[in-house]
Amino acid sequence: MLKQQHTPTGPTTGGPAVPFFSGAASIRRDWPRLEPRLRAVAASGRFTSGTEVAHLERELCAYTGARHVALVGSGTDALVLMLRAVGVGPGDEVIVPAYSFFATASAVLHAGAEPVMVDVLPDSYALDPERAAAAITPRTKAIMPVHLFHQTADMAAIGALAEEHGLLLVEDSAEAIGMRVDGRHAGLFGAAGVLSFFPTKTLGALGDAGAVLTDDAEVDARVRRLRVHGQSADGSYEHLDIGWNSRADEIQAAVLRTRLEHLDADIARRADLAARYTEHLSDLAPRVRTPRQAKVARPGNLVWYVYLIETDRRDDLVSHLAEHGVGTDVYYPRPLPEQPCLAGRRGAGHPVPVATAASRRAVALPLYPDLTEDQVRYVCDLIRAFHARGDRNGGGR
Ligand SMILES: *Cc1c(COP(=O)(O)O)cnc(C)c1O
């Protein structure tokens, strides 16, 4: 998810401004606890790969249940380094969903392999296991589901598919911190997974950071080597791999450690706000489709990173909300195979009708812990008024 701020200029007609996301508000809330920790990092004189990073990695192991967590520069870096660390490379195909943030596909290309983009399921927006099965070829090396918005992909079906065909299972769990299925945290169903700490994410830094999660000590060791230019663990300037600079930042680690302390409270708050949205919007069905839960989801599996609705007149609704000071974001305005730089590729040849329909209809509403219930009601009242107006003008088109 790319846009950090999509803040409209302010309401032209009454009501509070509701930015899509406010980085400044999120710092304001945490500042009293952040300040002393940031001062301590400054005083320590060590700004990368120090004790804050080491502590955060251990705390993320405890939170997720992963045996190993390696902090890197961003979620995108985590995807590329993870794919390389599990052995994906030139000549390989990796099956990914056609509906995701661009990095899901570009990371596969950066690892030297071909992303094969297949359609998603309409309820979860996640990889359709049957379409994935149909896309397997002798070159398929790995399958990489994405857990989008508020729920995981169907990991039982995708795990079984990977096992049946001897494929590596890796996860783009960049949005999925806190999501668990039967107690197992997202990212830990196969060889490895990732987290993104981009500022808008459920656990956001004050800049970029990401992590690779794995239970496999060798994969972890390879990621740790790749993030420091492939240098051997003793730091002797002996380079065993062509790696990359994706060192972890002490300031970001200190911020994330502070915020990890209230992550579960934030997740609970997000769930309350999502329930308010659903309560206020459900009678607008079928013109407004509120988020659905896939059959495999159970309430405890859900983490509301994004509250995504669908509607026929999406673009007009976005303008209407913007005119009244409400920020939104369109996740995602086109399916991956329609991205200009991917369109001609071998992996872009599969039909993706579900992803295409979602890209025309979906819009994300503001959702973050310091949003108020009055703001949620204001947004919902605007959506209601928009549809009432449309009805008066002769139907919902
Ligand atoms: C955010 C995100 C990424 C990329 O993470 P960055 O930290 O922004 O590099 C990758 N995949 C998905 C699904 C994401 O939402």
Side-chain angles (χ1 to χ4, degrees), residues 1 74-77 79 100-101 103-104 146 148 172 174-175 196-198 201 208-209 332:
M1 314 240 139
S74 68
T76 303
D77 280 3
L79 285 170
S100 186
F101 180 55
T104 303
V146 182
L148 284 184
D172 180 347
E175 300 184 1
S196 163
F197 304 115
F198 183 68
K201 301 270 154 101
D208 279 308
Y332 298 92

Side-chain angles (χ1 to χ4, degrees), residues 76 79-84 88-97 102-117 141-144 146 170 172 336 342 345 347:
T76 303
L79 285 170
V80 178
L81 300 186
M82 167 186 80
L83 288 164
R84 289 191 55 192
V88 167
D92 295 335
E93 291 177 357
V94 178
I95 294 174
V96 299
F102 177 68
T104 303
S106 70
V108 174
L109 288 155
H110 280 294
E114 180 70 24
V116 175
M117 297 161 267
K141 173 80 167 245
I143 182 163
M144 184 163 75
V146 182
V170 286
D172 180 347
L336 290 174
L342 298 174
R345 302 199 63 90

